[in-house]
Amino acid sequence: MKDIHNFINGEFVATARQFTKHSPMDHAPIARVHEAGRDEIDRAVQAARAALRGPWGRLPISERAELLKGLVSAIDRRFDDFLEAECADTGKPRSLASHLDIPRGAANFKVFADLINSVPAEFFESPTPDGRGSLNYAIRRPVGVIGVICPWNLPLLLMTWKVGPALACGNTVVVKPSEETPQTATLLGEVMNEVGIPAGVYNVVHGFGPDSAGAFLTEHPGINAITFTGETRTGTAIMQAAARGTRPVSFELGGKNPAIVFADCDLDATIEGCLRSAFANSGQVCLGTERIYVERPLFETFVQRLKAGAEALKIGCPDEEGVSMGPLVSREHQNKVLSYYRKAAELGATVVTGGGVPPMPGHLAQGAWVQPTIWTGLGDDSPIAREEIFGPCTLVQPFDAEDEVIRRANDTDYGLACSIWTQNLSRAHRVAAQIEAGLVWVNSWFLRELRSPFGGSKQSGIGREGGVHSLEFYTELRNICIKL
Ligand code: NAD
Ligand code: 6OD
């Protein structure tokens, strides 16, 4: 079993206290993770502060950007190591991790390195009473030491989506990966050293949330801002910690995302899109579709086509040929998802397909597997329609009118994403503008332009990141006024 250490000030740090990471595939122990206590967190924050004042803070922007771009090729050279670590922690298919998680995990550094090299400056000339005038200009300065708290579903990708802009803007970071997925963030420490990123710029501390590394990090007064991706409930706890010292937060939280399918859609493309949005990464995508509204004339056909697609998904281990769905990340999460499967049955849902655990051979029977599941026959008030399950499951319901479906899609505490499927362009624009969500896709899902704003409305988040929007969080504007 391998040891996973904290990464503090450019060094791998063991601790007396450790916890075991289990494989999602068969629950076998795969890693001993060294848990950071308050002391290690303090050392990480001090190291980050020293790097900010020292080598990193003094580096010209163009050199900083070049170092970050070096990470892209360095990750590429260690591609197989990252792939193996991500798949071992999450159980996701190699085909998915090799096309999405690892390349995007690397690309986040290039996108923000390019961006920081091309930030436009603001200048204002103004008259003065003596006629000489003045010149105002604004400079962007790093915010300081950023606490980065990450989830387990797209571990490397979602971590570098925060670390990339934070470092590009000249900050230093202390990252707390999820306890379920400690490996790739730690591996990135090795790559940081290989590339020559100064010690202390990137630090990783391992542990859990409450009364552990997550809470210790967010409570640490040396953290200047906190960026977090995870559950809405956790966001509330982190916001309370951030209130001490009035530190800013950027939150990407949960969702209960609808898809709206009009009868005039391109049915093949819609089925393909909805299968992806409901079942990709075993449904563990914050942008995933757990509610599908289908215009009534298409309803029965849609449900049968979606069922056929779900039943054709091959469930298996990351390396298996043709596998399209892995296990859930852990037994704990399996128990949560299965509790919703039971609840749906108790509430009288029609289980179109799935609803339980797939039969798995031998030791795999110990893993966190669940079946892709489709329900019909429950109303908008049911917990299945309202609560985020974060599994490979979706509730399909019919609708009759455009106004009605907009109202029902918006009838949620969340507001992360929505996808609209129609060939009527006017309707697509009209409906998209009325959806209360940070991201609306038309005839697509999870098409990501990294310069565009990303974030949620209502309880799905605070703030927007992506492109120049990330600069708003990771830099502080200072105005300088020169009397001419
Ligand atoms: P989680 O909130 O349980 O944990 C996320 C991280 O927060 C982990 O590192 C955890 O250890 C830490 N944490 C937990 N309690 C904490 C506390 N009190 N103080 C500090 N840190 C704490 O989320 P998860 O289960 O890892 O991820 C799944 C959730 O994340 C889902 O709700 C999903 O929708 C959401 N998510 C949202 C987005 C988005 O972009 N909006 C993206 C991915 C995941
Ligand atoms: O693509 C991204 O940048 C992003 N933040 C995706 C989030 C996916 C949620 O699970």
Side-chain angles (χ1 to χ4, degrees):
M1 197 166 39
K2 58 168 95 162
D3 280 278
I4 304 292
H5 296 110
N6 301 282
F7 182 69
I8 299 173
N9 205 21
E11 291 177 354
F12 289 93
V13 175
T15 53
R17 202 173 148 128
Q18 293 133 26
F19 61 93
T20 304
K21 160 68 190 166
H22 293 93
S23 167
M25 271 75 79
D26 61 2
H27 204 64
I30 56 170
R32 205 167 19 238
V33 188
H34 289 249
E35 186 175 350
R38 286 192 192 273
D39 280 356
E40 286 77 27
I41 284 167
D42 191 49
R43 279 169 58 194
V45 175
Q46 301 300 342
R49 176 75 49 205
L52 187 70
R53 295 203 178 117
W56 192 242
R58 286 199 289 266
L59 218 53
I61 290 177
S62 57
E63 287 180 34
R64 203 161 74 209
E66 278 314 303
L67 278 175
L68 294 180
K69 285 190 203 167
L71 287 170
V72 182
S73 25
I75 294 173
D76 199 42
R77 281 196 296 278
R78 307 274 309 265
F79 195 89
D80 288 345
D81 296 340
F82 277 98
L83 191 56
E84 194 185 315
E86 204 74 309
C87 292
D89 273 355
T90 59
K92 65 178 71 190
R94 277 174 88 89
S95 52
L96 178 65
S98 62
H99 283 100
L100 177 68
D101 298 70
I102 313 303
R104 252 300 296 287
N108 282 331
F109 287 110
K110 180 178 179 332
V111 166
F112 291 101
D114 284 342
L115 180 81
I116 203 68
N117 264 328
S118 58
V119 179
E122 261 182 47
F123 289 95
F124 300 103
E125 276 184 312
S126 3
T128 53
D130 60 7
R132 283 166 59 191
S134 68
L135 175 67
N136 284 268
Y137 64 93
I139 56 170
R140 286 191 180 271
R141 302 301 298 158
V143 173
V145 179
I146 312 283
V148 183
I149 314 257
C150 307
W152 44 256
N153 61 328
L154 301 165
L156 182 71
L157 185 163
L158 290 178
M159 193 247 304
T160 61
W161 166 246
K162 308 275 196 186
V163 171
L167 298 191
C169 291
N171 303 282
T172 56
V173 296
V174 182
V175 174
K176 213 293 281 169
S178 166
E179 52 274 32
E180 293 296 346
T181 51
Q183 295 202 53
T184 45
T186 313
L187 200 48
L188 188 62
E190 287 179 26
V191 171
M192 292 274 171
N193 282 349
E194 277 165 33
V195 166
I197 304 276
V201 170
Y202 172 81
N203 304 275
V204 180
V205 290
H206 291 297
F208 301 83
D211 300 318
S212 180
F216 301 158
L217 180 61
T218 56
E219 286 162 10
H220 196 293
I223 293 292
N224 299 108
I226 300 168
T227 180
F228 166 71
T229 304
E231 276 193 37
T232 298
R233 204 179 29 180
T234 312
T236 307
I238 292 178
M239 209 166 174
Q240 280 163 352
R244 265 171 264 133
T246 55
R247 292 160 307 157
V249 295
S250 173
F251 282 174
E252 293 174 9
L253 307 176
K256 189 73 187 176
N257 311 303
I260 302 177
V261 177
F262 287 96
D264 68 357
C265 69
D266 170 342
L267 187 56
D268 289 344
T270 306
I271 293 293
E272 197 270 330
C274 290
L275 283 170
R276 260 189 348 107
S277 72
F279 303 124
N281 207 37
S282 302
Q284 302 163 122
V285 182
C286 59
L287 309 162
T289 300
E290 291 191 356
R291 299 182 285 152
I292 305 181
Y293 298 97
V294 183
E295 205 170 5
R296 199 173 298 275
L298 189 63
F299 183 74
E300 289 304 333
T301 308
F302 179 92
V303 170
Q304 289 315 311
R305 290 279 309 268
L306 198 71
K307 168 180 162 38
E311 289 175 354
L313 294 173
K314 182 173 173 193
I315 300 176
C317 293
D319 289 344
E320 262 178 73
E321 188 63 32
V323 76
S324 41
M325 220 185 89
L328 298 177
V329 73
S330 65
R331 272 196 185 164
E332 189 188 350
H333 192 51
Q334 181 196 33
N335 287 337
K336 175 186 163 184
V337 172
L338 289 176
S339 75
Y340 278 98
Y341 285 16
R342 284 192 296 276
K343 195 177 289 187
E346 283 157 22
L347 290 168
T350 302
V351 183
V352 176
T353 187
V357 176
M360 299 303 286
H363 63 109
L364 295 181
Q366 303 303 312
W369 307 92
V370 298
Q371 290 174 318
T373 295
I374 301 169
W375 300 288
T376 58
L378 290 176
D380 292 342
D381 287 340
S382 104
I384 302 298
R386 306 203 73 80
E387 296 171 17
E388 184 187 48
I389 303 171
F390 218 57
C393 52
T394 194
L395 171 66
V396 191
Q397 295 169 278
F399 74 88
D400 294 298
E402 189 177 301
D403 284 353
E404 170 210 338
V405 78
I406 292 169
R407 179 183 47 74
R408 292 172 66 191
N410 287 337
D411 181 18
T412 165
D413 293 335
Y414 293 108
L416 188 55
C418 172
S419 48
I420 299 168
W421 299 88
T422 177
Q423 306 225 47
N424 179 332
L425 193 57
S426 303
R427 173 152 59 196
H429 284 290
R430 197 166 58 230
V431 176
Q434 294 178 74
I435 293 296
E436 297 165 359
L439 300 135
V440 179
W441 282 288
V442 174
N443 297 329
S444 63
W445 177 75
F446 207 161
L447 259 190
R448 289 280 292 117
E449 160 55 60
L450 300 182
R451 292 166 299 179
S452 62
F454 182 100
S457 307
K458 301 194 263 187
Q459 291 188 25
S460 288
I462 296 180
R464 295 291 179 270
E465 295 196 32
V468 293
H469 311 284
S470 295
L471 301 185
E472 297 306 317
F473 182 71
Y474 294 106
T475 64
E476 200 171 73
L477 272 172
R478 279 191 205 152
N479 192 68
I480 297 175
C481 176
I482 312 278
K483 175 84 186 287
L484 298 174

